[in-house]
Amino acid sequence: MKFRDGMWLVAEGKRVEYAEEIYSIDQSQDGKKLSLLCPTMQVRSRGDTLNRPTMTIELEAVSDGILSVEVTHWHGAVNKPPYFDLFPDGKPSIDATVKKSDAGTTLTSGSVAATVTAEPHTFDIRFHSADGTHKLTSLLHRSVGLAYSPATSTPMQTADMRDIQHYILTQTTLGVGEQVYGLGERFGAFNKVGQSISLWNADGGTSSEQAYKNVSFWLSNRGYGVFIDAPEKVELEVGSERSCRVQTSVEGQRLKWYIIYGPSPKEVLSKYTTLTGKPNKVPAWSFGLWLSTSFTTEYDEKTVNGFLEGMRERDIPLQVFHYDCFWMRGFHWCDFEFMSSHFPDPKGQITRLKESGLVTKVCVWINSYVGQASPVFKEAAEKGYLLKRKNGDVFQWDLWQAGMGIVDFTNPEACKWFVGCLNKLFDTGVDSIKTDFGERIPSKDVQWHDPNVDPAKMHNYYAFIYNKLVFEALQERYGKDEAVLFARAACAGTQRFPLQWGGDCESTFEAMAESLRGGLSLGLCGFSFWSVDIGGFEGYPDATIYKRWVQFGLLCSHSRLHGSNSYRVPWLIDNDDKSEEGATAVLRKFSQLKCRLMPYLYSEAMEAIKHGWPVSVRAMCLEFPEDRTAWLCDQQFMLGSRILVAPVFSETGEVEFYLPAGKWTSFWDDTVLQGPMWYGPSVHKEKHGFTTLPVYVREGSILVLGKEAEQRTVYDWTKPENHEVRLYEPNESSSVVLYDADGKQVTTLNTAEEHGTWRVDGMEVRFRRGSRIQNY
């Protein structure tokens, strides 16, 4: 939301008052907090303290590298829940200090500090590293304010606030060349500078400014991040109202955010996810290929078996089969009952599927809505399990399901009932849940079971409690580390309940690229695991789109074939082309590659969740923060820390990509390229068929891989007969931490050079300088 008309004028219909000076500073007894009293005019006489608002700014040392900033106008305003669940694993201790000097008062929280100016009649707060070597951002003149809409002309009007909106806003400075990333799974430009962004979950697909996953965290390329502690709608003007500032505003009487100092982006994410929660571990089987029935397609047991048998006949390894919406009757979603006309014996069918070896696990689609055609609706309504309107009616509309209601997860009994429904699914053999929807949660004319919650805050936060409930139900049934979701909606903290997928995309190269931008942005908000609908959700992908998307999708952390009104099995895409570049062969190759990568990929995943980093797709800037170009790359990504992937977004197979400094070896052949360099039409022009794409391994890497044509994602890759070790331009510091399929750290492999021969922990490795592969 914009509050000004250019630099000089206030926007029409708005009244804005800014903190004009820091009148006084109070220090808490424990030395962890400063309270600043800031009037909206400079106080030069006693009379200036009358008939003017003040704003209170509290600076608090939270943990190492984290300071909170809370701005309040009227302290008597009720701060209703829900609140973000912060420090879920316990709050770290912090040594805070307050020092006064001629420059001002400095509050230090480990590695980060804030200095409040000592200049009289001045408003100035600077954030910097504790040692003073890094300037981060500032709150300067006219950077903290309150606003009314419509504009008030006298304070007397605020006696009745029912028709007046009240906002708190802050503006942090943007330095020259500063860039901003994150803010959830956003499909537009990767760098958010210049954008107006509303953090308000919406079901808008992947080709708009809306987002399913709005996360109130952004990352700067200057070594810090900002987490906005506000579940309600947050509006940001990222260099779009004032080009040198990030403006954050909320409707209400208070605004709180945390500044998090790295200085590296990886350190920022580690500290941010200590604050909001680290992702849970997911089982190794979930990394394999998932096949869906697609959305509106017609299917039954025969159709499902035909798909699965077709995949096995073609040597395409498949781990999970997913039943999408129409496993239930139309108009009855979501009543958790298999459609008897198509699935007369669901438990028997799922048992037969698993016993036949056609599939390892089964997933089903659900949402948290109940259509009124189902008898379940009557039960849920009578027992008070559904969200209500203020007049006592059940909240209903005909959007999505006719007359549907919304499960009220603030009601403990509704939660028990919902988990009971899930347990019946688990009893049939269901292993995983796709938690779809959860974005269109009304915030007007609604009454939650918990009368204390703020409906505006519940809109985004609903995604957290919905996914948390289902994830914990899976953990209760299958074990802490065996739970896995396929979730669409999210807010800050939902990374704790993996995994998330990118939502409804079209079957085009453009949608493939925007999906990648969404995954990169979400990864920069602490989400370790992410997937995408391979082939695109909407439309009918041609063979070229399908095969390029297969390459991209199988190199994400998780991989699912899914569509809207057409099947995604490869032989239906290109009339069962049996050539080496047909859809079947391409899917087989990259599915087997995923299985082969498991020793590397799963070990990278264990390290990633420990720190709150993305596995894949990982933005280049996380690995190469000093490389200015790496911050611009939104058409490529890192698969873990060692492998660079550049998907192909063209009909011709031509691709342009960037390699940071060092030597990079093609995963496919002996080619070694030198960075930093852009490679494309003019330099080392690469044109790829459908069996390859640019996949380059970083200098100094040790890769532990499975054997060629591996078809499992769960196997004992720690045994020599099940793996291969590759070295890529090794050096004395080359090492890798290896985990087994249970997520247990097994060993750390290190290299050493003896008389010109490289060894890995005493095992001789054949190595040719510049060669791509070295086996022992």
Side-chain angles (χ1 to χ4, degrees):
M1 176 177 289
K2 290 182 169 67
F3 294 96
R4 299 194 70 83
D5 179 4
M7 285 187 63
W8 316 123
L9 303 178
V10 176
E12 183 177 354
K14 302 289 195 300
R15 175 182 174 86
V16 187
E17 300 194 51
Y18 296 98
E20 294 288 351
E21 72 167 58
I22 298 168
Y23 181 75
S24 64
I25 303 175
D26 291 329
Q27 179 180 334
S28 64
Q29 289 186 349
D30 62 6
K32 295 182 180 180
K33 186 183 293 186
L34 298 178
S35 182
L36 318 180
L37 184 63
C38 305
T40 57
M41 71 175 295
Q42 294 179 357
V43 178
R44 297 181 180 275
S45 70
R46 288 186 173 183
D48 292 338
T49 64
L50 303 176
N51 299 312
R52 279 286 179 176
T54 61
M55 307 183 75
T56 303
I57 302 175
E58 291 189 339
L59 306 174
E60 182 176 4
V62 176
S63 67
D64 181 23
I66 304 179
L67 280 166
S68 70
V69 179
E70 184 169 21
V71 179
T72 308
H73 179 203
W74 290 337
H75 289 264
V78 176
N79 185 17
K80 291 185 175 182
Y83 316 112
F84 285 125
D85 183 16
L86 302 183
F87 294 111
D89 297 319
K91 186 175 181 179
S93 60
I94 178 64
D95 292 327
T97 61
V98 175
K99 292 183 179 180
K100 294 185 179 182
S101 68
D102 292 341
T105 303
T106 299
L107 172 65
T108 300
S109 182
S111 60
V112 71
T115 297
V116 181
T117 184
E119 289 291 323
H121 310 302
T122 304
F123 186 90
D124 190 314
I125 305 171
R126 309 285 174 125
F127 300 95
H128 52 89
S129 61
D131 61 9
T133 58
H134 289 84
K135 296 179 181 179
L136 306 180
T137 188
S138 305
L139 292 170
L140 303 178
H141 179 60
R142 289 194 168 182
S143 62
V144 174
L146 61 96
Y148 294 105
S149 179
T152 59
S153 58
T154 169
M156 289 293 291
Q157 291 176 267
T158 63
D160 183 356
M161 293 291 293
R162 287 175 294 179
D163 296 321
I164 299 174
Q165 294 171 300
H166 182 284
Y167 298 90
I168 297 289
L169 62 100
T170 62
Q171 292 184 344
T172 52
T173 54
L174 278 173
V176 176
E178 186 168 1
Q179 297 156 32
V180 170
Y181 300 88
L183 294 171
E185 184 189 51
R186 316 210 75 82
F187 304 106
F190 186 36
N191 176 11
K192 304 305 183 285
V193 173
Q195 298 182 38
S196 298
I197 295 174
S198 293
L199 301 183
W200 190 250
N201 284 359
D203 178 5
T206 67
S207 292
S208 77
E209 79 286 357
Q210 295 180 2
Y212 303 102
K213 306 169 189 67
N214 286 273
V215 180
S216 50
F217 171 79
W218 54 270
L219 178 72
S220 167
N221 65 336
R222 293 188 63 169
Y224 72 95
V226 171
F227 167 58
I228 306 156
D229 189 6
E232 64 266 41
K233 179 187 278 189
V234 177
E235 303 213 49
L236 296 107
E237 300 294 337
V238 188
S240 49
E241 178 165 307
R242 288 202 62 182
S243 57
C244 57
R245 293 184 179 182
V246 176
Q247 178 173 282
T248 304
S249 64
V250 296
E251 184 178 354
Q253 294 291 338
R254 57 176 57 82
L255 169 60
K256 185 174 185 178
W257 45 263
Y258 297 77
I259 186 165
I260 305 167
Y261 174 56
S264 73
K266 280 187 170 181
E267 290 172 290
V268 174
L269 281 189
S270 293
K271 292 171 183 176
Y272 165 69
T273 52
T274 296
L275 181 63
T276 59
K278 297 281 194 284
N280 197 78
K281 190 180 88 173
V282 293
W285 57 259
S286 71
F287 285 72
L289 181 62
W290 298 46
L291 173 64
S292 166
T293 58
S294 294
F295 172 30
T296 59
T297 54
E298 180 70 24
Y299 66 93
D300 54 15
E301 181 170 358
K302 181 180 178 181
T303 310
V304 171
N305 287 344
F307 287 163
L308 297 179
E309 288 166 358
M311 298 288 274
R312 182 160 67 181
E313 289 169 4
R314 292 164 175 81
D315 290 325
I316 299 172
L318 185 68
Q319 297 299 322
V320 184
F321 189 78
H322 168 70
Y323 294 83
D324 215 56
C325 310
F326 279 98
W327 64 273
M328 294 177 284
R329 290 171 290 174
F331 296 109
H332 282 238
W333 304 342
C334 183
D335 64 3
F336 301 94
E337 295 290 336
F338 276 85
M339 183 164 41
S340 60
S341 60
H342 289 61
F343 305 101
D345 179 22
K347 184 174 183 178
Q349 178 189 353
I350 292 173
T351 300
R352 290 189 291 274
L353 286 180
K354 293 180 179 179
E355 288 178 346
S356 69
L358 289 171
V359 69
T360 303
K361 302 290 182 180
V362 165
C363 174
V364 297
W365 175 98
I366 70 166
N367 64 22
S368 57
Y369 311 147
V370 184
Q372 69 177 7
S374 171
V376 171
F377 178 89
K378 182 178 180 181
E379 175 192 2
E382 289 177 348
K383 292 183 177 180
Y385 297 161
L386 302 178
L387 179 63
K388 294 182 178 180
R389 297 185 187 272
K390 288 183 177 179
N391 67 1
D393 292 347
V394 170
F395 179 91
Q396 291 181 264
W397 56 14
D398 294 325
L399 187 64
W400 183 239
Q401 289 287 284
M404 60 160 251
I406 299 171
V407 179
D408 184 346
F409 292 127
T410 71
N411 183 346
E413 293 303 315
C415 293
K416 291 179 184 178
W417 167 76
F418 199 81
V419 170
C421 295
L422 294 173
N423 281 326
K424 292 178 183 178
L425 289 180
F426 303 155
D427 290 342
T428 67
V430 171
D431 306 281
S432 179
I433 300 291
K434 175 182 172 180
T435 48
D436 206 354
F437 288 80
E439 302 94 358
R440 291 173 175 162
I441 306 302
S443 58
K444 305 292 186 182
D445 188 32
V446 292
Q447 181 60 59
W448 294 86
H449 174 81
D450 182 348
N452 297 311
V453 300
D454 181 344
K457 293 181 178 180
M458 284 299 298
H459 175 85
N460 284 353
Y461 197 73
Y462 188 87
F464 180 89
I465 58 176
Y466 168 35
N467 286 292
K468 180 176 187 286
L469 183 74
V470 179
F471 192 81
E472 290 180 349
L474 283 163
Q475 287 183 311
E476 180 67 24
R477 173 58 68 98
Y478 295 116
K480 179 180 181 297
D481 295 327
E482 284 295 311
V484 61
L485 303 177
F486 237 84
R488 191 173 75 174
C491 62
T494 317
Q495 71 270 6
R496 291 162 53 187
F497 319 117
L499 65 107
Q500 287 71 31
W501 103 96
D504 299 347
C505 46
E506 296 175 325
S507 298
T508 64
F509 282 122
E510 291 78 11
M512 185 173 149
E514 69 201 19
S515 294
L516 175 54
R517 292 194 297 270
L520 292 170
S521 294
L522 191 67
L524 292 177
C525 296
F527 286 72
S528 290
F529 306 105
W530 181 82
S531 185
V532 67
D533 289 343
I534 295 176
F537 177 73
E538 295 285 354
Y540 300 84
D542 62 27
T544 297
I545 293 286
Y546 181 89
K547 289 182 283 189
R548 292 303 184 194
W549 213 312
V550 162
Q551 295 177 330
F552 166 42
L554 266 298
L555 292 172
C556 296
S557 74
H558 288 76
S559 309
R560 182 183 68 161
L561 292 162
H562 182 62
S564 177
N565 51 5
S566 60
Y567 302 119
R568 289 292 182 265
V569 289
W571 54 90
L572 297 181
I573 300 296
D574 59 4
N575 296 316
D576 204 11
D577 180 353
K578 292 182 170 57
S579 71
E580 288 186 1
E581 295 219 339
T584 292
V586 172
L587 182 60
R588 176 169 54 244
K589 175 171 182 173
F590 282 89
S591 298
Q592 292 178 356
L593 174 63
K594 185 75 171 288
C595 295
R596 193 175 181 213
L597 285 169
M598 280 302 293
Y600 166 77
L601 184 57
Y602 203 59
S603 296
E604 288 286 318
M606 293 304 101
E607 288 293 300
I609 62 175
K610 185 188 303 181
H611 300 288
W613 305 333
V615 181
S616 168
V617 292
R618 180 179 295 184
M620 298 293 297
C621 58
L622 286 180
E623 291 300 326
F624 306 96
E626 303 303 321
D627 186 329
R628 294 181 64 181
T629 302
W631 288 88
L632 307 176
C633 295
D634 63 359
Q635 295 175 36
Q636 62 188 67
F637 59 91
M638 295 296 292
L639 174 60
S641 61
R642 315 306 303 177
I643 299 177
L644 182 151
V645 179
V648 178
F649 297 103
S650 70
E651 295 277 356
T652 64
E654 294 179 344
V655 60
E656 186 175 26
F657 57 94
Y658 175 73
L659 296 179
K663 292 181 179 179
W664 294 82
T665 305
S666 171
F667 184 83
W668 311 110
D669 56 34
D670 289 344
T671 303
V672 177
L673 300 181
Q674 182 70 47
M677 178 72 74
W678 278 99
Y679 291 90
S682 58
V683 179
H684 185 74
K685 184 174 182 179
E686 290 204 13
K687 184 173 181 179
H688 287 264
F690 295 111
T691 60
T692 62
L693 74 165
V695 178
Y696 282 86
V697 186
R698 192 175 181 175
E699 180 178 350
S701 296
I702 304 173
L703 295 191
V704 181
L705 305 172
K707 292 297 186 179
E708 291 276 4
E710 178 60 66
Q711 302 229 10
R712 302 165 294 173
T713 58
V714 182
Y715 56 98
D716 189 356
W717 52 67
T718 65
K719 292 183 177 180
E721 62 268 24
N722 289 336
H723 72 234
E724 167 191 352
V725 176
R726 291 188 180 187
L727 301 185
Y728 293 86
E729 301 294 332
N731 53 54
E732 293 289 346
S733 61
S734 296
S735 68
V736 64
V737 179
L738 183 64
Y739 292 76
D740 65 17
D742 292 323
K744 178 182 175 183
Q745 184 173 331
V746 176
T747 187
T748 299
L749 300 176
N750 297 286
T751 57
E753 187 177 21
E754 300 174 11
H755 310 294
T757 300
W758 283 96
R759 298 175 180 273
V760 178
D761 289 348
M763 300 176 292
E764 184 173 328
V765 178
R766 294 195 298 275
F767 175 72
R768 268 190 308 121
R769 180 68 61 182
S771 175
R772 74 175 181 94
I773 183 167
Q774 304 80 32
N775 300 319
Y776 73 86

